Amino acid sequence: MPIYNKLVRDKIPEIIRSTGKNANCITLEYESYVSELKKKLREEVEEYNKAAGDAEAVEELADILEVVDALAQIHKILPEDLEKVRAKKAEERGGFTDRTFLIEVME
C-alpha cells in the first residue's frame, strides 16, 4: 500500500473511495496546513518545470494557481485583491514580457 503523506485536493479521498479503496486521512492543524501548502507549491512548480509540452504545463499552472488561491486565503486576501497587487506591481515595475535579463549594475 503506497504511503503519500502529502496535502491533497479536497475530493481526492472521495475519488479514492469510489474505486473501492480506503483512504486514511487527517485534517491538519493550521500551522501544519500552512507548511504543507508551501511544500505543495514547491511540488507543483517542480512538476511544471518537468512538464512535457504545453497541455501538461497548463495543467500544472492550474495546480499552482489553486495552491496560490489557498495561500491567499491564509493571508486573508481575496484572489481578486491579490490580482490588484500583481497589477500594481506590474504597472510600477513591469512584468516579464520583454524577457529582460539583468547581468550587472555598475557604479
Side-chain angles (χ1 to χ4, degrees):
M1 201 71 150
I3 296 176
Y4 292 94
N5 287 329
K6 69 177 192 173
L7 185 66
V8 295
R9 289 174 177 261
D10 297 338
K11 293 184 179 180
I12 294 300
E14 178 184 325
I15 292 168
I16 292 169
R17 283 191 287 275
S18 75
T19 68
K21 298 177 183 175
N22 290 319
N24 183 15
C25 302
I26 61 169
T27 300
L28 295 172
E29 296 295 330
Y30 180 80
E31 293 300 324
S32 295
Y33 174 58
V34 173
S35 177
E36 291 300 320
L37 275 173
K38 291 176 181 180
K39 283 184 196 176
K40 186 58 119 178
L41 181 59
R42 287 189 296 272
E43 174 190 321
E44 297 301 347
V45 169
E46 186 176 316
E47 289 174 2
Y48 168 77
N49 286 330
K50 292 178 182 176
D54 289 340
E56 191 176 339
V58 168
E59 288 289 322
E60 297 307 332
L61 286 172
D63 289 343
I64 290 167
L65 284 175
E66 192 68 36
V67 176
V68 168
D69 281 350
L71 286 165
Q73 289 177 14
I74 293 296
H75 296 289
K76 296 174 178 43
I77 186 167
L78 296 171
E80 54 268 24
D81 293 332
L82 181 59
E83 170 57 21
K84 289 176 186 173
V85 173
R86 186 213 59 79
K88 182 176 185 256
K89 288 187 81 167
E91 177 68 28
E92 293 171 354
R93 302 180 66 125
F96 295 97
T97 56
D98 291 346
R99 301 181 296 203
T100 303
F101 185 83
L102 180 65
I103 305 292
E104 66 180 315
V105 176
M106 285 89 48
E107 294 292 326

